[in-house]
Amino acid sequence: ALIVSIIFLIHPMQVESVSYIAQTVSPLFFLFGVTALFYSLADNISARRVVVIFTFLLLSLLTKESGFLFMFTILLATFLFYKRRLKGFIFCSFLITCIYFLVRFGIGHVYFAKIGTVPIAKLSLAERLVHIPNIIFYYLKTFLLPFHLTIEQRWIIKTTTGNNFYLPLLIDTLFFLFFIVIGRFVWKKDRKAFRIFVLFSFWFIAGIFMLLQVFPLDMTVADRWFYFPMVGLLGMIGISMQAIMGKISRKNMYIGYGIAISIILLLSLRTIVRNANWVNAITLYSHDSKIYDNDEIENNLGNEYYAEHNYREALRHFKKSVELYPNATNLSNLGSIYEIFNDKASARKYFYMILNTDAYSKNTYDYFLVYASSVLLHSDSPEIANDFTYKALKKAPHTGYLWANKAISEYKQLNQKEALAAAERAKSLTPNAQTNYLYTLISEEKEIPEDMVFQLQ
């Protein structure tokens, strides 16, 4: 138990959950969930303890939806070891689930977002299911041999081959068959240990199931997502080794401990090396971009160079990102860079390409449409800006700021009637001081300030 706990804490796959500050939600939801599980395993439970258990479980749910996995794990543990309290736990689980949905949907109005720009999310269910063997293989391989660690993995399988489907399928099958054999061995040796083995097996299978793209995720695989399933896998290994060690001599047992310590030291060194990649964003993205081609990493690297005013490097990485997978984000970034270099034709080309792509969500897509419209309005001809805005409005007809930009482009072409109608539409869709002021300027035929920019936040 001590050895597998140390491996869990120092494993290189955990670096992403610790060093990536935006993803420390994994340790947090796990802390709440495992605390609830720990308190639920007492032989005698008072009403106060039940409140504590399900309060921690609710906190886990509110931190991350994966907290539901802890709820099912607790119910299974209760079924395996304390059947008499199962009905009460089911009722409490139902109660906190209702509270969770009330908080999320009723109070927070946080619904399920459509994932648009991620390649695997655009595939059909059947196409995503083809990835299952390779996804399982990735996590098992990286757990055992964590050599090539990288973030933002968005690869997809276009054609099934021996390397990306059949070989992973064979290895996955052998892995599960091996643990079925081990489970049978544990069952014969110790029935109570077998129940613990079943619990950890469920822990691993339930956790890995959520990563198989049955429900599309915003990446193909991610090391931080293995945070929960890793415990189940380590638990299975720990129970298996404990059963096997009962059959070996003391001398061989010391050899086993020596091997375990060596593994811990090697994993620790790999974690230290991986942590060094997280010194800053450019160091991280530059390292990971060399492992495999990734449009998101290239776009992020371009953003970092852009922030440092290194526009040549930013241009290089934005272009590579677009070559790999064009989407509204990298096309907008590339168009902006060309504007800085005063290459209006190239900027116009990439801004227009946004019209044929999508973004992570509708609000994000509308943002890029308005942004491109605004840039063209202030740096290109009114005719070009009006043409782009007209086409953008077919994509997002209820975006007030697009109508505002159309009003300005029409006004610059001396189309007073069309400009006033567009300004009125902008004012009705997005009523605020800025759209009201634009409408007033056009209706009174006054000059529109050159610095008037409409931009979604």
Side-chain angles (χ1 to χ4, degrees):
L2 176 62
I3 291 171
V4 296
S5 297
I6 293 173
I7 291 174
F8 172 76
L9 290 172
I10 56 90
H11 198 281
M13 291 183 77
Q14 309 291 38
V15 171
E16 194 171 311
S17 297
V18 178
S19 296
Y20 187 10
I21 191 65
Q23 295 302 328
T24 51
V25 64
S26 294
L28 187 58
F29 103 88
F30 185 88
L31 173 64
F32 291 137
V34 82
T35 302
L37 176 62
F38 176 77
Y39 277 107
S40 72
L41 297 177
D43 290 331
N44 297 307
I45 292 184
S46 63
R48 179 183 296 180
R49 196 180 185 94
V50 171
V51 171
V52 171
I53 292 168
F54 286 94
T55 298
F56 275 113
L57 192 52
L58 178 60
L59 290 174
S60 182
L61 287 174
L62 294 175
T63 304
K64 191 177 181 181
E65 293 89 342
S66 301
F68 277 109
L69 294 173
F70 273 113
M71 184 173 72
F72 293 122
T73 303
I74 289 173
L75 291 177
L76 177 60
T78 304
F79 172 77
L80 290 172
F81 301 105
Y82 307 103
K83 285 188 176 69
R84 66 183 183 278
R85 66 176 75 140
L86 182 59
K87 289 184 179 179
F89 272 30
I90 291 175
F91 173 77
C92 292
S93 298
F94 173 75
L95 182 63
I96 65 166
T97 301
C98 292
I99 295 172
Y100 167 78
F101 284 124
L102 175 64
V103 171
R104 174 169 179 160
F105 301 123
I107 299 175
H109 303 290
V110 179
Y111 304 102
F112 300 105
K114 180 182 178 182
I115 302 173
T117 61
V118 183
I120 198 164
K122 301 185 76 172
L123 302 179
S124 66
L125 175 60
E127 291 171 322
R128 295 198 306 274
L129 293 180
V130 172
H131 292 71
I132 289 178
N134 211 13
I135 290 173
I136 296 174
F137 176 67
Y138 169 82
Y139 288 114
L140 296 178
K141 174 192 68 176
T142 309
F143 173 77
L144 295 173
L145 301 170
F147 296 139
H148 303 294
L149 302 177
T150 177
I151 62 169
E152 304 291 351
Q153 299 204 40
R154 293 151 59 100
W155 46 266
I156 59 172
I157 296 174
K158 296 180 180 179
T159 305
T160 56
T161 65
N163 287 332
N164 66 22
F165 183 79
Y166 296 105
L167 180 60
L169 179 61
L170 175 62
I171 294 173
D172 296 344
T173 303
L174 291 175
F175 166 80
F176 285 108
L177 286 175
F178 172 76
F179 271 102
I180 289 174
V181 173
I182 291 292
R184 189 168 181 272
F185 172 77
V186 174
W187 180 74
K188 286 185 175 181
K189 182 174 174 52
D190 186 339
R191 297 297 173 89
K192 183 176 181 181
F194 176 73
R195 284 185 286 170
I196 301 174
F197 184 86
V198 169
L199 178 65
F200 280 120
S201 298
F202 170 82
W203 192 314
F204 172 71
I205 293 171
I208 204 75
F209 174 79
M210 301 305 295
L211 311 181
L212 298 183
Q213 302 295 337
V214 176
F215 310 101
L217 305 172
D218 54 4
M219 274 174 285
T220 307
V221 294
D223 292 347
R224 63 180 179 271
W225 293 346
F226 202 59
Y227 199 94
F228 181 91
M230 187 186 291
V231 177
L233 181 56
L234 286 168
M236 292 163 65
I237 293 171
I239 294 295
S240 303
M241 294 305 299
Q242 189 166 293
I244 293 170
M245 288 173 68
K247 297 286 187 180
I248 64 176
S249 65
R250 183 174 293 275
K251 179 182 176 181
N252 290 333
M253 188 178 296
Y254 287 135
I255 293 174
Y257 285 135
I259 294 172
I261 292 171
S262 299
I263 291 172
I264 289 171
L265 290 174
L266 289 172
L267 291 176
S268 299
L269 289 173
R270 183 65 185 96
T271 297
I272 292 169
V273 172
R274 179 55 177 165
N275 227 4
N277 300 146
W278 288 79
V279 171
N280 56 54
I282 290 180
T283 301
L284 175 66
Y285 296 140
S286 297
H287 170 272
D288 290 4
S289 66
K290 296 173 184 175
I291 296 178
Y292 81 107
D293 291 330
N294 183 306
D295 66 284
E296 184 73 7
I297 290 179
E298 294 296 336
N299 185 68
N300 290 340
L301 197 50
N303 282 328
E304 295 301 323
Y305 282 117
Y306 182 91
E308 294 188 352
H309 306 292
N310 188 344
Y311 300 126
R312 292 290 176 188
E313 279 297 306
L315 175 63
R316 184 169 71 87
H317 290 288
F318 285 145
K319 285 179 69 175
K320 187 173 182 180
S321 178
V322 168
E323 290 170 4
L324 291 170
Y325 186 75
N327 56 69
T329 305
N330 55 26
L331 289 169
S332 176
N333 289 335
L334 187 54
S336 299
I337 286 290
Y338 277 119
E339 278 294 333
I340 291 174
F341 289 118
N342 203 32
D343 186 346
K344 296 186 184 301
S346 295
R348 188 185 308 150
K349 170 188 172 182
Y350 291 107
F351 283 142
Y352 266 84
M353 285 176 67
I354 296 174
L355 296 169
N356 299 317
T357 61
D358 50 23
Y360 188 82
S361 66
K362 184 182 184 303
N363 289 339
T364 307
Y365 188 55
D366 292 353
Y367 166 85
F368 289 117
L369 290 177
V370 173
Y371 174 78
S373 172
S374 298
V375 172
L376 292 171
L377 184 63
H378 290 87
S379 64
D380 215 313
S381 67
E383 291 79 12
I384 292 295
N386 192 39
D387 179 70
F388 177 87
T389 306
Y390 172 77
K391 293 176 179 177
L393 282 168
K394 290 184 177 181
K395 294 274 188 175
H398 301 295
T399 304
Y401 282 175
L402 278 177
W403 285 101
N405 284 340
K406 178 173 174 58
I408 296 174
S409 62
E410 294 282 7
Y411 195 66
K412 286 185 176 182
Q413 297 177 82
L414 305 180
N415 300 325
Q416 169 70 12
K417 182 179 178 182
E418 290 82 356
L420 189 62
E424 185 174 10
R425 187 73 185 275
K427 187 177 68 168
S428 64
L429 289 171
T430 311
N432 57 34
Q434 197 176 17
T435 54
N436 288 335
Y437 181 51
L438 175 65
Y439 180 82
T440 300
L441 290 176
I442 293 176
S443 62
E444 297 178 359
E445 299 187 20
K446 293 182 179 180
E447 184 178 356
I448 297 175
E450 286 297 323
D451 61 352
M452 178 174 277
V453 177
F454 291 89
Q455 191 63 53
L456 291 169
Q457 299 298 316

